[in-house]
Amino acid sequence: MRALLILIPALVLAWPAQAVQMVEAIGSAPVQGAISHVRSQALKDAMHQASLRASAQVRSTALLSKGVMAQDDVQVRSTAQLRNVEVLWEEQTDGLYEVGIRAEVAADAMCPASEQRYRKAVAVAGFGLAQPQQATVGQLQNVEQDLPRVLVNSLNNSGVVHALDATRISLYQDPRRAPSKETAQQRLTTSVALATQLGAQYVVSGVVRDLSLADRASNAGEWRARLGLPEASRPRQFVMDVFVHDGLSGAMLFQRSYSAVGQWNAPSVQAVGFGSPQFWQTGYGKEVRQVLQGAVSDVNEVLRCQPFMARIVQARGNRLHIEASAGAGIRPGDKFQVYRTGTFYNLDLEPRTELTDMATEIVVKQVQPQFVIAEMKLSAERLAIQRDDMVIAW
């Protein structure tokens, strides 16, 4: 009987990526040899214990041979980083050298950037404006298209994803209730249609909830006008929600609300416009820029660990045409797995997309500007592979 290798999936216990926390840990080492070496080993153990508290991965491997357990290994590792390590105390008792430390521990993301070769296609839709009357001061009505355009440019500049400009399309008829078109399972059917239309894997959308200005003092404006003084700046709110939906199933992957308050120091009657040079020079614009940078970072992080997926648009013989652009970073010789798409219905009779691994590998032969050509050993007809099936790189 051939040996059977069983890999139990890794159990990951971790803080959110880049979370930082001050932790204390104790390390020990047997007193054998030079005391300097013993102390070094105890300190190393203490640092290891501290890093495990931030990010621990457990991997178990079992090897069965003729029904008998031949090998059973459990490995524990950490991807955390330590900094500002401080030794609190040291002592030697009962043949052990112990060291207590305090350190800042930052947990790394569980999928390093080196493993994420391909840029996923992301369609950025127009943002809704929940309270249009709040955009009157400064003439910020263009926020519905120009804000997501800022996200498109920032996402593309980051180099993690390939953002597509779909800002002319609005996914929500009533932004005040967005995402109101979702089902109880947090799926958005319009995101699937948009992703299919643009060849995107994910859809980013959002709503600007608040652009309100603080009320001006009762007669302060009139008093300053009589003296020929410019208007006093006023605090202005900025609140937006950002959503990320999967383009294949419509499921929501990410939802977060962002807010900031900044000083609006432009004249009330001036048509500044969202995203103009004058807008970014205001105290309010500077606060908004920081919020948008945070949103871009969050979207990149949530998509970075997702697999790269692309649709098959034509299957003939052993050749496949795949809807993926050259901007994704695909190169001749790259390999993908083929998955068949299907539909099943849950207990509420709602359709769900199912992916079935065909255990078939394809090799990229040509990379065109807007599509990729790949080949496999068996014919598509033999494997029943057809249009709208998927190729995936994990």
Side-chain angles (χ1 to χ4, degrees):
M1 181 183 294
R2 296 179 63 183
L4 174 64
L5 179 65
I6 304 174
L7 296 179
I8 301 177
L11 171 65
V12 179
L13 306 173
W15 300 332
Q18 302 304 319
V20 179
Q21 182 171 330
M22 186 71 71
V23 300
E24 295 184 3
I26 300 174
S28 62
V31 180
Q32 297 176 353
I35 195 67
S36 59
H37 175 72
V38 174
R39 181 182 184 276
S40 176
Q41 293 299 111
L43 184 59
K44 182 178 180 180
D45 182 55
M47 296 172 66
H48 179 64
Q49 297 299 327
S51 65
L52 286 179
R53 291 185 60 182
S55 174
Q57 289 181 294
V58 182
R59 183 180 179 88
S60 177
T61 303
L63 181 62
L64 298 178
S65 180
K66 298 181 180 180
V68 179
M69 186 69 71
Q71 179 182 349
D72 188 7
D73 295 332
V74 177
Q75 298 178 347
V76 181
R77 69 184 183 92
S78 172
T79 60
Q81 294 181 343
L82 270 65
R83 56 194 183 200
N84 298 330
V85 179
E86 176 187 1
V87 177
L88 301 177
W89 55 267
E90 303 177 47
E91 66 179 18
Q92 180 179 335
T93 57
D94 299 329
L96 286 179
Y97 195 96
E98 294 184 329
V99 177
I101 66 169
R102 180 190 294 123
E104 291 181 359
V105 185
D108 280 353
M110 303 314 295
C111 54
S114 60
E115 298 178 4
Q116 301 296 315
R117 289 184 51 196
Y118 306 118
R119 298 178 65 187
K120 305 170 184 71
V122 179
V124 181
F127 277 41
L129 183 55
Q131 304 291 336
Q133 70 276 9
Q134 294 178 348
T136 302
V137 176
Q139 298 298 304
L140 304 185
Q141 292 87 349
N142 63 322
V143 68
E144 294 181 293
Q145 285 76 43
D146 285 2
L147 186 152
R149 286 194 183 107
V150 172
L151 294 181
V152 169
N153 294 332
S154 298
L155 286 168
N156 283 328
N157 289 338
S158 69
V160 178
V161 300
H162 179 208
L164 306 173
D165 190 338
T167 57
R168 68 189 183 280
I169 301 173
S170 177
L171 301 184
Y172 310 107
Q173 293 181 353
D174 187 352
R176 294 172 299 176
R177 295 180 173 84
S180 58
K181 289 188 178 179
E182 286 188 349
T183 66
Q185 288 74 29
Q186 289 192 316
R187 286 171 168 79
L188 186 65
T189 55
T190 49
S191 70
V192 177
L194 178 60
T196 303
Q197 175 186 346
L198 298 179
Q201 188 176 346
Y202 303 99
V203 175
V204 175
S205 60
V207 174
V208 178
R209 301 286 184 189
D210 194 354
L211 295 174
S212 62
L213 269 166
D215 292 335
R216 184 185 289 114
S218 58
N219 59 354
E222 182 181 352
W223 175 79
R224 295 182 67 89
R226 288 180 179 179
L227 294 178
L229 299 175
E231 294 182 31
S233 62
R234 287 187 286 167
R236 190 168 193 172
Q237 296 282 343
F238 178 78
V239 180
M240 74 170 181
D241 292 349
V242 175
F243 315 114
V244 179
H245 286 86
D246 174 54
L248 178 63
S249 64
M252 180 179 287
L253 302 178
F254 175 81
Q255 177 180 3
R256 183 165 297 175
S257 181
Y258 300 85
S259 63
V261 178
Q263 291 295 318
W264 182 258
N265 47 19
S268 301
V269 297
Q270 186 170 0
V272 177
F274 183 90
S276 67
Q278 185 176 355
F279 175 85
W280 297 123
Q281 291 172 3
T282 64
Y284 180 73
K286 293 175 182 177
E287 294 294 331
V288 171
R289 185 187 294 276
Q290 290 186 2
V291 169
L292 296 181
Q293 289 174 349
V296 168
S297 177
D298 289 342
V299 171
N300 277 332
E301 186 61 30
V302 76
L303 296 182
R304 197 160 61 88
C305 292
Q306 298 292 329
F308 175 85
M309 305 171 65
R311 294 179 185 271
I312 297 173
V313 293
Q314 180 176 298
R316 184 177 300 171
N318 68 336
R319 173 167 288 199
L320 302 178
H321 283 70
I322 301 166
E323 192 170 33
S325 69
I330 300 174
R331 298 291 181 265
D334 289 353
K335 299 178 180 179
F336 295 88
Q337 295 297 122
V338 179
Y339 284 74
R340 179 183 297 153
T341 58
T343 302
F344 77 95
Y345 295 85
N346 63 10
L347 295 177
D348 297 324
L349 298 181
E350 294 177 329
R352 295 289 179 264
T353 301
E354 181 180 22
L355 296 177
T356 302
D357 188 354
M358 300 302 295
T360 299
E361 188 177 71
I362 63 171
V363 180
V364 175
K365 296 300 182 180
Q366 298 180 35
V367 178
Q368 303 287 345
Q370 295 182 319
F371 62 90
V372 171
I373 299 176
E375 294 181 355
M376 54 188 177
K377 294 182 180 180
L378 300 177
S379 68
E381 292 78 9
R382 181 174 178 179
L383 297 173
I385 296 173
Q386 56 189 355
R387 180 186 176 92
D388 282 338
D389 288 343
M390 309 293 293
V391 297
I392 301 179
W394 298 95

